[in-house]
Amino acid sequence: MRCKQFIFVSLAGVVLAASLAGCGGAAPASSAAASSVAASSVVVSSAAAEAALPDGVYTADFETDSSMFHTSEACNGKGTLTVENGVMSFHVSLASKKIVNLYPGLAADAEANKTAWLIPTVDTVTYADGTTEEVYGYDIPVEALDTDFQLALLGTKGKWYDHTVSVRNAEPKTEQAAETPADGAYTAAVVLEGGSGRATVDSPAALTVAEGKMTATIVWSSPNYDYMIVDGEKYLPTNTEGNSTFEIPVAALGTPLTVTADTVAMSKPHEIEYTLTFTLE
């Protein structure tokens, strides 16, 4: 996009120079500057039109130039991009409450433009293990996607810092996973995907919620599974007879959960990757 801008502006300059030469005189500096600004404005407007998305809600990556300035780990580097009447705003939940303000521009200009400071929201993020934390979030105006821009931050010590950020890889936001139900006992439909397609699990499955954490009872169609791995943790069967049964944690409803199950039905033990998706009945 920058190369395209350079070409158009340069072309505008060549045309202007040729025009002046034909008239046998030089234009005033103010006239040349105005023409340059006008050409640049046309190019910027064209670039914005190319980058614009249809009105709607999207997920997108938030990229920065510093490991100290990033989204909460619970967000996997992503935030929510909202496009309304062609205007883009990106909401991001940061890693803590240590960034007390943001300014869309350079740090040197922040103090003179306090009305443009971005005010934090208090966001509650949920980690994979079910724990929650309150962090600061921000609604950041975005002029163009996949393009670096300046975003200054104010830390708890009262000093502004310059950073270069970008919002990239916007995709239409899918339906959000269902919230964790209140503590209690439930049944949930289970969709199993992966493997050879021969294995199945009982559906519905028992689902227990205790202190906000969900645990599902998975009963396989075979007695030959000797362990499962979920989020790096190994789980052993809860039974010694009948089809292999496990109690495993469920991070979220409506979202595929990647698991590994080890089977001893083959000539040697073999780990197979599956996904399980749970939906309350």
Side-chain angles (χ1 to χ4, degrees):
M1 197 63 68
R2 290 177 179 172
C3 292
K4 188 179 294 185
Q5 180 176 347
F6 176 78
I7 291 171
F8 284 138
V9 173
S10 297
L11 181 59
V14 170
V15 173
L16 178 62
S19 174
L20 294 176
C23 293
S30 58
S31 174
S35 298
S36 177
V37 170
S40 298
S41 298
V42 171
V43 175
V44 170
S45 297
S46 175
E50 288 183 18
L53 292 170
D55 283 8
V57 181
Y58 303 79
T59 57
D61 295 329
F62 183 60
E63 298 185 0
T64 76
D65 58 3
S66 171
S67 61
M68 302 299 290
F69 180 27
H70 57 82
T71 68
S72 165
E73 291 181 6
C75 300
N76 297 316
K78 296 185 178 294
T80 299
L81 178 73
T82 301
V83 184
E84 186 172 355
N85 296 325
V87 177
M88 295 184 290
S89 177
F90 183 70
H91 186 83
V92 58
S93 298
L94 299 181
S96 66
K97 292 183 177 180
K98 294 183 178 180
I99 295 175
V100 297
N101 284 113
L102 293 178
Y103 171 71
L106 295 172
D109 301 325
E111 288 296 334
N113 295 280
K114 290 187 176 181
T115 58
W117 291 9
L118 305 182
I119 307 302
T121 59
V122 178
D123 298 352
T124 300
V125 296
T126 303
Y127 297 96
D129 62 1
T131 59
T132 61
E133 182 183 14
E134 286 190 347
V135 299
Y136 278 161
Y138 287 91
D139 292 308
I140 303 169
V142 179
E143 293 187 0
L145 298 175
D146 306 316
T147 303
D148 290 345
F149 61 94
Q150 294 298 310
L151 188 64
L153 67 83
L154 179 66
T156 54
K157 295 184 179 180
K159 183 177 180 180
W160 286 95
Y161 297 89
D162 281 317
H163 287 286
T164 301
V165 305
S166 61
V167 176
R168 300 179 180 273
N169 306 319
E171 296 181 355
K173 192 168 187 178
T174 57
E175 184 178 349
Q176 291 185 342
E179 295 182 359
T180 301
D183 286 7
Y186 303 85
T187 57
V190 187
V191 176
L192 173 72
E193 296 179 295
S196 65
R198 293 192 295 268
T200 62
V201 296
D202 286 359
S203 179
L207 183 77
T208 302
V209 184
E211 297 182 353
K213 296 182 180 180
M214 296 183 288
T215 301
T217 301
I218 297 298
V219 181
W220 290 90
S221 57
S222 162
N224 297 314
Y225 289 96
D226 62 345
Y227 64 82
M228 291 181 67
I229 299 174
V230 183
D231 289 334
E233 294 289 332
K234 180 183 286 188
Y235 296 86
L236 300 177
T238 58
N239 62 326
T240 56
E241 295 182 357
N243 289 343
S244 303
T245 302
F246 298 84
E247 292 184 352
I248 63 170
V250 177
L253 298 174
T255 301
L257 173 67
T258 300
V259 303
T260 300
D262 186 73
T263 178
V264 294
M266 304 178 187
S267 58
K268 60 180 181 179
H270 188 69
E271 290 186 348
I272 304 173
E273 186 172 286
Y274 300 93
T275 62
L276 297 166
T277 304
F278 299 85
T279 306
L280 285 186
E281 292 198 317

